Coordinates of all heavy atoms in Angstrom, one line a residue:
M1 N 195.8 219.2 348.0 CA 196.3 219.1 349.3 C 195.3 218.5 350.2 O 195.7 217.7 351.1 CB 196.6 220.5 349.7 CG 197.4 220.6 351.0 SD 198.3 222.1 351.2 CE 198.1 222.4 352.9
A2 N 194.0 218.7 350.1 CA 193.0 218.2 350.9 C 193.0 216.7 350.8 O 192.8 216.0 351.8 CB 191.7 218.8 350.6
S3 N 193.1 216.1 349.6 CA 193.0 214.7 349.5 C 194.3 214.0 350.1 O 194.2 213.0 350.6 CB 192.9 214.3 348.0 OG 194.0 214.7 347.3
L4 N 195.4 214.7 350.0 CA 196.6 214.2 350.6 C 196.5 214.1 352.2 O 196.9 213.2 352.8 CB 197.8 215.0 350.3 CG 199.1 214.7 351.0 CD1 199.6 213.3 350.7 CD2 200.2 215.6 350.6
L5 N 195.9 215.2 352.8 CA 195.8 215.2 354.2 C 194.6 214.6 354.8 O 194.5 214.4 356.0 CB 195.9 216.7 354.7 CG 197.2 217.5 354.3 CD1 197.1 218.9 354.7 CD2 198.4 216.7 354.9
A6 N 193.6 214.2 353.9 CA 192.4 213.6 354.4 C 192.7 212.3 355.3 O 193.3 211.4 354.7 CB 191.4 213.3 353.3
G7 N 192.4 212.3 356.5 CA 192.6 211.2 357.4 C 194.1 210.9 357.8 O 194.4 209.9 358.3
A8 N 194.9 211.9 357.5 CA 196.4 211.7 357.7 C 196.7 211.5 359.1 O 197.7 210.9 359.4 CB 197.1 212.8 357.1
W9 N 195.9 211.9 360.0 CA 196.2 211.8 361.5 C 195.8 210.4 362.0 O 196.1 210.1 363.2 CB 195.5 212.9 362.2 CG 194.0 212.8 362.0 CD1 193.1 212.1 362.8 CD2 193.2 213.4 360.9 NE1 191.8 212.2 362.3 CE2 191.9 213.0 361.1 CE3 193.6 214.2 359.9 CZ2 190.9 213.4 360.2 CZ3 192.6 214.6 359.0 CH2 191.3 214.3 359.2
R10 N 195.1 209.6 361.2 CA 194.7 208.3 361.6 C 195.9 207.3 361.6 O 196.8 207.4 360.7 CB 193.6 207.8 360.9 CG 192.4 208.7 361.0 CD 191.2 208.1 360.3 NE 190.0 209.0 360.5 CZ 189.2 209.4 359.6 NH1 189.4 209.1 358.4 NH2 188.2 210.1 359.9
A11 N 195.9 206.3 362.4 CA 196.9 205.3 362.4 C 196.9 204.5 361.0 O 197.9 204.2 360.4 CB 196.7 204.2 363.5
E12 N 195.7 204.4 360.4 CA 195.6 203.8 359.1 C 194.7 204.8 358.2 O 193.5 204.8 358.3 CB 194.8 202.4 359.2 CG 195.6 201.3 359.9 CD 196.9 201.0 359.2 OE1 196.9 201.0 358.0 OE2 197.9 200.7 360.0
A13 N 195.5 205.5 357.5 CA 194.9 206.5 356.6 C 194.3 205.8 355.4 O 194.7 204.8 355.0 CB 195.9 207.5 356.2
P14 N 193.3 206.5 354.7 CA 192.7 205.9 353.5 C 193.8 205.8 352.4 O 194.9 206.4 352.5 CB 191.7 206.9 353.1 CG 191.5 207.9 354.3 CD 192.7 207.7 355.1
A15 N 193.5 205.0 351.5 CA 194.5 204.8 350.3 C 194.8 206.1 349.7 O 193.9 207.0 349.6 CB 193.9 203.8 349.3
L16 N 196.0 206.3 349.2 CA 196.4 207.6 348.7 C 196.5 207.5 347.2 O 197.2 206.6 346.6 CB 197.7 208.0 349.3 CG 198.4 209.3 348.7 CD1 197.5 210.5 349.1 CD2 199.8 209.5 349.3
E17 N 195.8 208.4 346.5 CA 196.0 208.5 345.0 C 196.5 209.9 344.7 O 195.7 210.8 344.7 CB 194.6 208.2 344.4 CG 194.1 206.8 344.5 CD 192.8 206.6 343.8 OE1 192.6 207.2 342.8 OE2 192.1 205.6 344.2
L18 N 197.8 210.0 344.5 CA 198.5 211.2 344.3 C 199.6 211.0 343.4 O 200.4 210.1 343.6 CB 198.9 211.9 345.6 CG 199.5 213.3 345.6 CD1 198.3 214.3 345.5 CD2 200.2 213.5 346.9
S19 N 199.8 211.9 342.4 CA 200.9 211.7 341.5 C 202.1 212.4 342.0 O 202.0 213.4 342.8 CB 200.5 212.2 340.1 OG 200.4 213.7 340.1
A20 N 203.3 212.2 341.5 CA 204.5 212.8 341.9 C 204.4 214.3 341.4 O 204.9 215.2 342.2 CB 205.7 212.2 341.2
C21 N 203.8 214.6 340.3 CA 203.6 216.0 339.9 C 202.7 216.8 340.9 O 203.0 217.9 341.2 CB 203.0 216.0 338.5 SG 202.9 217.6 337.8
E22 N 201.6 216.1 341.3 CA 200.7 216.7 342.3 C 201.4 217.0 343.6 O 201.3 218.1 344.2 CB 199.5 215.9 342.5 CG 198.6 215.9 341.3 CD 197.5 214.8 341.5 OE1 197.8 213.7 342.0 OE2 196.3 215.0 341.0
L23 N 202.2 216.0 344.1 CA 203.0 216.2 345.3 C 203.9 217.4 345.1 O 204.0 218.2 346.0 CB 203.7 214.9 345.7 CG 204.6 215.0 346.9 CD1 203.8 215.4 348.2 CD2 205.3 213.7 347.2
S24 N 204.6 217.4 344.0 CA 205.6 218.5 343.8 C 204.9 219.8 343.8 O 205.5 220.8 344.3 CB 206.3 218.2 342.5 OG 207.3 219.2 342.3
S25 N 203.7 219.9 343.3 CA 203.1 221.2 343.2 C 202.5 221.7 344.5 O 202.5 222.9 344.7 CB 201.9 221.2 342.2 OG 200.9 220.4 342.7
I26 N 202.3 220.9 345.5 CA 201.7 221.3 346.8 C 202.8 221.3 347.9 O 202.6 221.8 349.0 CB 200.5 220.4 347.2 CG1 200.9 219.0 347.4 CG2 199.4 220.7 346.3 CD1 199.8 218.1 348.0
L27 N 204.0 220.8 347.6 CA 205.1 220.7 348.5 C 205.3 222.1 349.3 O 205.4 222.1 350.5 CB 206.4 220.2 347.9 CG 207.5 219.8 348.9 CD1 207.0 218.7 349.9 CD2 208.7 219.4 348.1
P28 N 205.4 223.2 348.6 CA 205.7 224.4 349.2 C 204.5 224.8 350.2 O 204.9 225.3 351.3 CB 205.7 225.5 348.1 CG 206.1 224.7 346.9 CD 205.5 223.4 347.0
L29 N 203.3 224.5 349.9 CA 202.2 224.8 350.8 C 202.3 223.9 352.0 O 202.0 224.3 353.1 CB 200.9 224.6 350.1 CG 200.5 225.5 348.9 CD1 199.3 225.1 348.2 CD2 200.4 226.9 349.5
L30 N 202.7 222.6 351.9 CA 202.8 221.7 353.0 C 203.9 222.2 354.0 O 203.8 222.2 355.1 CB 203.1 220.4 352.5 CG 202.0 219.7 351.7 CD1 202.6 218.4 351.0 CD2 200.9 219.2 352.7
A31 N 205.0 222.7 353.3 CA 206.1 223.2 354.2 C 205.8 224.4 355.0 O 206.0 224.4 356.2 CB 207.3 223.5 353.3
V32 N 205.1 225.4 354.4 CA 204.8 226.6 355.2 C 203.6 226.4 356.1 O 203.5 227.2 357.1 CB 204.5 227.8 354.3 CG1 205.8 228.2 353.4 CG2 203.3 227.6 353.3
S33 N 202.8 225.5 355.9 CA 201.6 225.2 356.7 C 201.9 224.4 357.9 O 201.0 224.4 358.9 CB 200.5 224.6 355.9 OG 200.8 223.3 355.6
G34 N 203.0 223.7 358.0 CA 203.3 222.9 359.1 C 202.7 221.4 358.9 O 202.8 220.6 359.8
A35 N 202.1 221.2 357.7 CA 201.4 219.9 357.5 C 202.4 218.9 356.8 O 202.0 217.8 356.6 CB 200.2 220.2 356.6
A36 N 203.6 219.2 356.6 CA 204.5 218.3 355.9 C 204.7 217.0 356.6 O 204.7 215.9 356.0 CB 205.9 219.0 355.6
P37 N 204.8 217.0 357.9 CA 204.9 215.7 358.6 C 203.6 214.8 358.4 O 203.8 213.6 358.3 CB 205.1 216.0 360.1 CG 205.7 217.4 360.0 CD 205.1 218.1 358.9
L38 N 202.5 215.4 358.5 CA 201.3 214.6 358.2 C 201.3 214.1 356.7 O 200.9 213.0 356.5 CB 200.0 215.5 358.4 CG 199.5 215.7 359.7 CD1 198.3 216.6 359.8 CD2 199.1 214.3 360.3
A39 N 201.8 214.9 355.8 CA 201.9 214.4 354.4 C 202.9 213.3 354.4 O 202.6 212.3 353.6 CB 202.3 215.6 353.5
W40 N 203.9 213.3 355.1 CA 204.9 212.2 355.2 C 204.2 210.9 355.6 O 204.4 209.9 355.1 CB 206.1 212.5 356.1 CG 206.9 211.2 356.4 CD1 206.9 210.6 357.6 CD2 207.6 210.4 355.5 NE1 207.6 209.4 357.5 CE2 208.1 209.3 356.2 CE3 207.9 210.6 354.1 CZ2 208.9 208.3 355.6 CZ3 208.7 209.6 353.6 CH2 209.2 208.5 354.3
W41 N 203.4 211.1 356.7 CA 202.6 209.9 357.2 C 201.8 209.3 356.1 O 201.6 208.0 356.1 CB 201.8 210.4 358.4 CG 201.1 209.3 359.1 CD1 199.8 209.0 359.2 CD2 201.7 208.3 360.0 NE1 199.5 208.0 360.0 CE2 200.7 207.5 360.5 CE3 203.1 208.1 360.4 CZ2 201.0 206.4 361.4 CZ3 203.3 207.0 361.2 CH2 202.3 206.3 361.7
R42 N 201.3 210.1 355.2 CA 200.5 209.5 354.1 C 201.3 208.9 353.0 O 200.9 207.9 352.4 CB 199.6 210.6 353.5 CG 198.4 211.1 354.3 CD 197.4 210.0 354.6 NE 196.8 209.3 353.5 CZ 195.9 209.6 352.7 NH1 195.3 210.8 352.8 NH2 195.5 208.9 351.7
V43 N 202.5 209.5 352.7 CA 203.3 208.9 351.5 C 204.2 207.9 352.0 O 204.7 207.2 351.1 CB 204.0 210.0 350.8 CG1 203.0 211.1 350.3 CG2 205.1 210.7 351.6
R44 N 204.5 207.7 353.2 CA 205.4 206.7 353.7 C 204.9 205.3 353.2 O 203.7 205.1 353.2 CB 205.6 206.6 355.2 CG 204.4 206.0 355.9 CD 204.5 206.2 357.4 NE 203.6 205.3 358.1 CZ 202.3 205.3 358.0 NH1 201.6 206.1 357.3 NH2 201.5 204.4 358.7
G45 N 205.7 204.5 352.7 CA 205.3 203.2 352.3 C 204.8 203.2 350.8 O 204.3 202.2 350.3
T46 N 204.8 204.3 350.2 CA 204.5 204.5 348.8 C 205.7 204.8 347.9 O 206.7 205.3 348.5 CB 203.4 205.6 348.6 OG1 203.9 206.8 348.7 CG2 202.2 205.4 349.6
P47 N 205.6 204.7 346.6 CA 206.8 205.1 345.8 C 207.0 206.6 346.0 O 208.2 207.0 345.8 CB 206.3 204.8 344.4 CG 205.3 203.6 344.6 CD 204.6 204.0 345.9
L48 N 206.1 207.4 346.4 CA 206.4 208.8 346.6 C 207.4 209.1 347.6 O 208.1 210.1 347.6 CB 205.0 209.6 346.9 CG 203.9 209.6 345.8 CD1 202.7 210.1 346.4 CD2 204.4 210.4 344.6
A49 N 207.5 208.2 348.6 CA 208.3 208.4 349.8 C 209.8 208.4 349.3 O 210.7 209.1 349.9 CB 208.2 207.3 350.8
K50 N 210.1 207.7 348.2 CA 211.5 207.7 347.7 C 211.9 208.9 346.8 O 213.1 209.1 346.6 CB 211.7 206.4 347.0 CG 211.6 205.1 347.8 CD 211.8 203.9 347.0 CE 211.9 202.6 347.7 NZ 211.2 202.3 348.9
L51 N 211.0 209.7 346.4 CA 211.2 210.8 345.6 C 211.8 211.9 346.4 O 211.7 211.9 347.6 CB 210.0 211.3 345.0 CG 209.2 210.4 344.0 CD1 207.9 211.0 343.6 CD2 210.0 210.0 342.8
P52 N 212.6 212.9 345.8 CA 213.1 214.0 346.6 C 212.1 214.7 347.4 O 212.3 215.1 348.5 CB 213.7 214.9 345.5 CG 214.0 214.0 344.4 CD 213.0 212.9 344.4
E53 N 210.9 214.8 346.8 CA 209.8 215.5 347.5 C 209.4 214.7 348.8 O 209.1 215.3 349.8 CB 208.5 215.7 346.6 CG 208.8 216.6 345.5 CD 209.4 215.9 344.3 OE1 209.8 214.8 344.3 OE2 209.5 216.7 343.3
G54 N 209.3 213.4 348.6 CA 209.0 212.5 349.8 C 210.1 212.6 350.8 O 209.8 212.6 352.0
Q55 N 211.3 212.7 350.4 CA 212.4 212.8 351.4 C 212.4 214.2 352.1 O 212.7 214.3 353.3 CB 213.8 212.6 350.7 CG 213.9 211.2 350.2 CD 213.9 210.2 351.4 OE1 214.8 210.2 352.3 NE2 212.9 209.3 351.4
E56 N 211.9 215.2 351.4 CA 211.7 216.5 352.1 C 210.7 216.4 353.1 O 210.8 217.0 354.2 CB 211.4 217.6 351.0 CG 211.4 219.0 351.6 CD 211.4 220.1 350.5 OE1 211.8 219.8 349.4 OE2 210.9 221.1 350.9
L57 N 209.6 215.7 352.8 CA 208.5 215.5 353.8 C 209.1 214.7 355.0 O 208.7 215.1 356.2 CB 207.3 214.8 353.2 CG 206.6 215.5 352.1 CD1 205.6 214.6 351.5 CD2 206.0 216.8 352.6
Y58 N 209.9 213.8 354.8 CA 210.5 213.0 355.8 C 211.4 213.8 356.8 O 211.4 213.7 358.0 CB 211.3 211.8 355.3 CG 211.9 210.9 356.3 CD1 211.1 210.2 357.2 CD2 213.3 210.8 356.4 CE1 211.6 209.4 358.2 CE2 213.8 209.9 357.4 CZ 213.0 209.3 358.3 OH 213.5 208.5 359.2
R59 N 212.2 214.7 356.1 CA 213.0 215.6 356.9 C 212.2 216.5 357.7 O 212.5 216.8 358.9 CB 214.0 216.4 356.0 CG 215.1 215.5 355.5 CD 216.2 216.3 354.8 NE 215.7 217.0 353.5 CZ 215.6 216.4 352.4 NH1 215.9 215.2 352.2 NH2 215.1 217.1 351.3
A60 N 211.1 217.0 357.2 CA 210.2 217.9 358.0 C 209.6 217.1 359.2 O 209.5 217.6 360.3 CB 209.1 218.4 357.1
Y61 N 209.3 215.8 358.9 CA 208.7 214.9 360.0 C 209.8 214.8 361.1 O 209.5 215.0 362.3 CB 208.4 213.6 359.4 CG 208.1 212.6 360.5 CD1 206.9 212.6 361.3 CD2 209.0 211.6 360.7 CE1 206.8 211.6 362.3 CE2 208.8 210.6 361.7 CZ 207.7 210.6 362.5 OH 207.5 209.7 363.5
L62 N 211.0 214.5 360.7 CA 212.1 214.3 361.7 C 212.4 215.6 362.5 O 212.6 215.6 363.7 CB 213.4 213.8 361.1 CG 213.4 212.5 360.5 CD1 214.7 212.2 359.8 CD2 213.1 211.4 361.6
G63 N 212.3 216.7 361.7 CA 212.5 218.0 362.5 C 211.4 218.3 363.5 O 211.7 218.8 364.6
Q64 N 210.2 217.9 363.2 CA 209.1 218.1 364.0 C 209.1 217.2 365.2 O 208.8 217.6 366.4 CB 207.7 218.0 363.3 CG 206.6 218.6 364.0 CD 205.5 219.0 363.2 OE1 205.6 220.0 362.4 NE2 204.4 218.2 363.1
V65 N 209.6 216.0 365.0 CA 209.8 215.0 366.1 C 210.8 215.7 367.1 O 210.6 215.7 368.3 CB 210.3 213.7 365.6 CG1 210.8 212.8 366.8 CG2 209.1 213.0 364.9
A66 N 212.0 216.2 366.6 CA 213.0 216.8 367.4 C 212.5 218.0 368.2 O 212.7 218.1 369.3 CB 214.2 217.1 366.6
A67 N 211.7 218.8 367.5 CA 211.2 220.0 368.1 C 210.1 219.6 369.2 O 210.1 220.2 370.2 CB 210.5 220.9 367.0
G68 N 209.5 218.5 368.9 CA 208.5 218.0 370.0 C 209.2 217.6 371.2 O 208.6 217.8 372.3
V69 N 210.4 216.9 371.1 CA 211.1 216.6 372.3 C 211.5 217.8 373.1 O 211.3 217.8 374.3 CB 212.3 215.7 371.9 CG1 213.3 215.5 373.1 CG2 211.9 214.4 371.3
V70 N 212.0 218.8 372.5 CA 212.3 220.0 373.1 C 211.1 220.7 373.8 O 211.1 221.1 374.9 CB 213.0 221.0 372.1 CG1 213.2 222.4 372.8 CG2 214.3 220.5 371.7
R71 N 210.0 220.7 373.0 CA 208.8 221.3 373.5 C 208.3 220.6 374.7 O 207.8 221.2 375.7 CB 207.7 221.4 372.4 CG 206.5 222.1 372.7 CD 206.7 223.6 372.7 NE 207.2 224.1 371.4 CZ 208.2 224.9 371.2 NH1 208.8 225.5 372.2 NH2 208.5 225.2 370.0
E72 N 208.3 219.3 374.7 CA 207.8 218.5 375.8 C 208.7 218.8 377.1 O 208.1 219.0 378.2 CB 207.9 217.0 375.5 CG 207.5 216.1 376.7 CD 207.5 214.6 376.3 OE1 207.8 214.2 375.2 OE2 207.0 213.9 377.2
H73 N 209.9 219.0 376.9 CA 210.8 219.4 378.1 C 210.4 220.7 378.6 O 210.3 220.9 379.8 CB 212.3 219.3 377.6 CG 213.2 219.8 378.7 ND1 213.5 219.1 379.8 CD2 213.8 221.0 378.8 CE1 214.4 219.7 380.6 NE2 214.6 221.0 380.0
E74 N 210.2 221.6 377.7 CA 209.7 223.0 378.1 C 208.4 222.9 378.8 O 208.2 223.6 379.9 CB 209.6 223.9 376.9 CG 211.0 224.2 376.3 CD 210.8 224.9 375.0 OE1 209.7 225.0 374.4 OE2 211.9 225.5 374.5
I75 N 207.5 222.2 378.4 CA 206.2 222.1 378.9 C 206.2 221.5 380.3 O 205.6 221.9 381.3 CB 205.2 221.3 378.0 CG1 204.9 222.1 376.7 CG2 203.9 220.9 378.8 CD1 204.1 221.4 375.7
L76 N 207.0 220.4 380.4 CA 207.1 219.7 381.7 C 207.7 220.6 382.8 O 207.3 220.7 383.9 CB 207.8 218.4 381.6 CG 207.1 217.3 380.8 CD1 208.0 216.1 380.6 CD2 205.8 216.9 381.4
A77 N 208.7 221.4 382.3 CA 209.3 222.4 383.2 C 208.4 223.4 383.7 O 208.3 223.9 384.9 CB 210.6 223.0 382.6
A78 N 207.5 223.9 382.7 CA 206.6 225.0 383.0 C 205.5 224.4 384.0 O 205.1 225.1 385.0 CB 205.9 225.5 381.8
L79 N 205.0 223.2 383.7 CA 204.0 222.6 384.6 C 204.6 222.4 386.0 O 203.9 222.7 387.0 CB 203.6 221.2 384.0 CG 202.8 221.3 382.7 CD1 202.6 219.8 382.3 CD2 201.5 222.1 382.8
S80 N 205.8 222.0 386.1 CA 206.5 221.8 387.4 C 206.5 223.1 388.1 O 206.3 223.2 389.4 CB 207.9 221.2 387.2 OG 208.4 221.0 388.5
A81 N 207.0 224.2 387.5 CA 207.1 225.5 388.1 C 205.8 226.0 388.6 O 205.7 226.6 389.7 CB 207.8 226.5 387.1
L82 N 204.8 225.8 387.7 CA 203.4 226.3 388.2 C 202.9 225.5 389.4 O 202.4 226.1 390.3 CB 202.4 226.1 387.0 CG 202.6 227.1 385.9 CD1 201.8 226.7 384.7 CD2 202.2 228.5 386.3
R83 N 203.1 224.2 389.4 CA 202.7 223.4 390.6 C 203.4 223.8 391.8 O 202.9 223.9 392.9 CB 202.9 222.0 390.2 CG 201.8 221.4 389.3 CD 201.8 220.0 389.1 NE 200.8 219.5 388.3 CZ 201.0 218.9 387.0 NH1 202.2 218.6 386.7 NH2 199.9 218.6 386.3
E84 N 204.8 224.1 391.7 CA 205.6 224.5 392.8 C 205.1 225.9 393.4 O 205.2 226.1 394.6 CB 207.0 224.6 392.5 CG 207.7 223.2 392.3 CD 209.2 223.4 391.8 OE1 209.7 224.5 391.9 OE2 209.7 222.4 391.4
A85 N 204.5 226.7 392.5 CA 204.0 227.9 392.9 C 202.5 227.8 393.4 O 201.8 228.8 393.7 CB 204.0 228.9 391.8
G86 N 201.9 226.6 393.5 CA 200.6 226.4 394.0 C 199.5 226.5 393.0 O 198.4 226.7 393.3
I87 N 199.9 226.5 391.7 CA 198.9 226.7 390.7 C 198.8 225.3 389.9 O 199.8 224.8 389.4 CB 199.4 227.8 389.6 CG1 199.5 229.1 390.4 CG2 198.4 227.9 388.5 CD1 200.3 230.1 389.6
E88 N 197.6 224.8 389.8 CA 197.4 223.6 389.0 C 197.1 224.0 387.6 O 196.0 224.6 387.3 CB 196.2 222.8 389.6 CG 196.1 221.5 389.0 CD 197.3 220.5 389.0 OE1 198.1 220.6 390.0 OE2 197.5 219.8 388.0
P89 N 198.0 223.7 386.7 CA 197.8 224.2 385.3 C 196.8 223.2 384.6 O 196.6 222.1 384.9 CB 199.2 224.0 384.8 CG 199.9 223.0 385.6 CD 199.3 223.1 386.9
L90 N 196.3 223.8 383.5 CA 195.5 223.0 382.6 C 196.1 223.1 381.2 O 196.3 224.2 380.7 CB 194.0 223.7 382.5 CG 193.1 223.1 381.5 CD1 192.8 221.7 381.9 CD2 191.8 223.9 381.5
L91 N 196.5 222.0 380.7 CA 197.1 221.9 379.5 C 196.1 221.6 378.3 O 195.3 220.8 378.4 CB 198.2 220.7 379.5 CG 199.0 220.6 378.2 CD1 199.9 221.8 378.0 CD2 199.9 219.4 378.4
A92 N 196.2 222.5 377.3 CA 195.3 222.4 376.2 C 196.0 222.7 374.9 O 197.2 223.0 374.9 CB 194.1 223.3 376.4
K93 N 195.3 222.5 373.8 CA 195.8 222.8 372.5 C 196.8 221.9 372.0 O 196.7 220.7 372.2 CB 196.3 224.3 372.4 CG 195.1 225.3 372.5 CD 195.5 226.7 372.2 CE 196.0 226.7 370.7 NZ 196.1 227.9 370.1
G94 N 197.9 222.4 371.3 CA 198.8 221.6 370.6 C 199.3 220.3 371.2 O 199.1 219.3 370.7
W95 N 200.0 220.5 372.3 CA 200.7 219.4 372.8 C 199.7 218.3 373.4 O 199.8 217.2 373.3 CB 201.6 219.8 374.0 CG 202.5 218.7 374.5 CD1 203.6 218.2 373.8 CD2 202.5 218.0 375.7 NE1 204.2 217.2 374.5 CE2 203.5 217.1 375.7 CE3 201.6 218.1 376.8 CZ2 203.7 216.2 376.8 CZ3 201.8 217.2 377.9 CH2 202.9 216.3 377.9
A96 N 198.6 218.8 374.0 CA 197.6 217.9 374.6 C 196.9 217.2 373.4 O 196.7 215.9 373.6 CB 196.6 218.7 375.4
V97 N 196.7 217.8 372.3 CA 196.0 217.1 371.2 C 197.0 216.2 370.5 O 196.6 215.1 370.1 CB 195.4 218.2 370.2 CG1 194.9 217.5 368.9 CG2 194.3 219.0 370.9
A98 N 198.2 216.6 370.4 CA 199.2 215.8 369.6 C 199.4 214.4 370.2 O 199.7 213.4 369.5 CB 200.5 216.5 369.6
R99 N 199.1 214.2 371.5 CA 199.3 212.9 372.1 C 198.2 211.9 371.5 O 198.4 210.7 371.8 CB 199.1 213.0 373.6 CG 200.2 213.9 374.3 CD 200.1 214.0 375.7 NE 198.8 214.8 376.0 CZ 198.2 214.7 377.2 NH1 198.8 214.1 378.2 NH2 197.2 215.5 377.4
H100 N 197.2 212.4 370.9 CA 196.2 211.5 370.3 C 196.6 211.1 368.9 O 195.8 210.3 368.3 CB 194.8 212.1 370.4 CG 194.4 212.4 371.8 ND1 194.0 211.4 372.6 CD2 194.4 213.5 372.5 CE1 193.7 211.9 373.8 NE2 193.9 213.2 373.7
Y101 N 197.6 211.6 368.3 CA 198.0 211.2 367.0 C 198.8 209.9 367.0 O 199.4 209.6 368.1 CB 198.9 212.3 366.3 CG 198.1 213.5 365.8 CD1 197.3 214.3 366.7 CD2 198.1 213.8 364.4 CE1 196.6 215.4 366.2 CE2 197.4 214.9 364.0 CZ 196.7 215.6 364.8 OH 195.9 216.7 364.4
P102 N 198.9 209.1 366.0 CA 199.5 207.8 366.1 C 201.1 207.9 366.2 O 201.6 206.8 366.6 CB 199.1 207.1 364.7 CG 198.8 208.2 363.8 CD 198.2 209.3 364.7
E103 N 201.7 208.9 365.9 CA 203.1 209.1 366.0 C 203.5 210.5 366.5 O 202.8 211.5 366.2 CB 203.8 209.0 364.6 CG 203.8 207.6 364.0 CD 205.0 206.8 364.6 OE1 206.0 207.3 364.9 OE2 204.7 205.5 364.7
P104 N 204.6 210.6 367.3 CA 205.0 211.9 367.7 C 205.5 212.6 366.5 O 206.1 212.1 365.6 CB 206.2 211.6 368.7 CG 206.2 210.1 368.9 CD 205.4 209.5 367.8
G105 N 205.3 213.9 366.5 CA 205.8 214.7 365.4 C 204.8 214.9 364.2 O 205.1 215.6 363.2
L106 N 203.6 214.3 364.3 CA 202.6 214.5 363.3 C 201.9 215.8 363.5 O 201.3 216.3 362.5 CB 201.6 213.3 363.2 CG 202.3 212.0 362.7 CD1 201.2 210.9 362.6 CD2 203.0 212.2 361.3
R107 N 201.9 216.3 364.6 CA 201.2 217.6 364.9 C 202.1 218.6 365.6 O 202.7 218.2 366.6 CB 199.9 217.5 365.7 CG 199.1 218.7 365.9 CD 197.9 218.6 366.8 NE 197.0 219.7 366.6 CZ 197.3 220.9 367.1 NH1 198.4 221.2 367.6 NH2 196.4 221.9 367.0
P108 N 202.3 219.8 365.1 CA 203.2 220.7 365.7 C 202.6 221.2 367.0 O 201.4 221.2 367.1 CB 203.3 221.8 364.7 CG 202.1 221.7 363.8 CD 201.8 220.3 363.8
S109 N 203.4 221.4 368.0 CA 202.9 221.9 369.3 C 203.8 223.1 369.7 O 204.6 223.0 370.7 CB 203.0 220.9 370.4 OG 204.3 220.3 370.4
A110 N 203.8 224.1 369.0 CA 204.7 225.3 369.1 C 204.2 226.2 370.2 O 204.9 227.1 370.7 CB 204.9 226.0 367.9
D111 N 202.9 226.1 370.6 CA 202.4 227.0 371.6 C 202.4 226.4 373.0 O 201.9 225.3 373.3 CB 200.9 227.3 371.2 CG 200.0 226.1 371.0 OD1 200.6 225.0 370.8 OD2 198.8 226.2 370.9
V112 N 203.1 227.0 373.9 CA 203.3 226.6 375.2 C 202.7 227.7 376.1 O 202.9 228.8 376.0 CB 204.8 226.5 375.6 CG1 204.9 226.0 377.1 CG2 205.4 225.4 374.7

């Protein structure tokens, strides 16, 4: 799992050396950890992307992109409400950090 995720948040990740069997064995861990979208980023453009496991990673990525759109709306509404109340908010953690990833949806931002 570590070799799959190494550098996965970079626009150009290191070359990936992972077998279909290895991907299959770590898929459940990727799913429960929230790292499946990052794993998709690594396998996209490789033969692994076409496998059922690769497609599962892709679906997780799409789900995280959709959740990110909802989360962004919630965050912007919260920031607006705080500012209207005279409070200047400080945004940190998930959503703030996710903006530095090369693609939306590569980092979950469930904490608002």
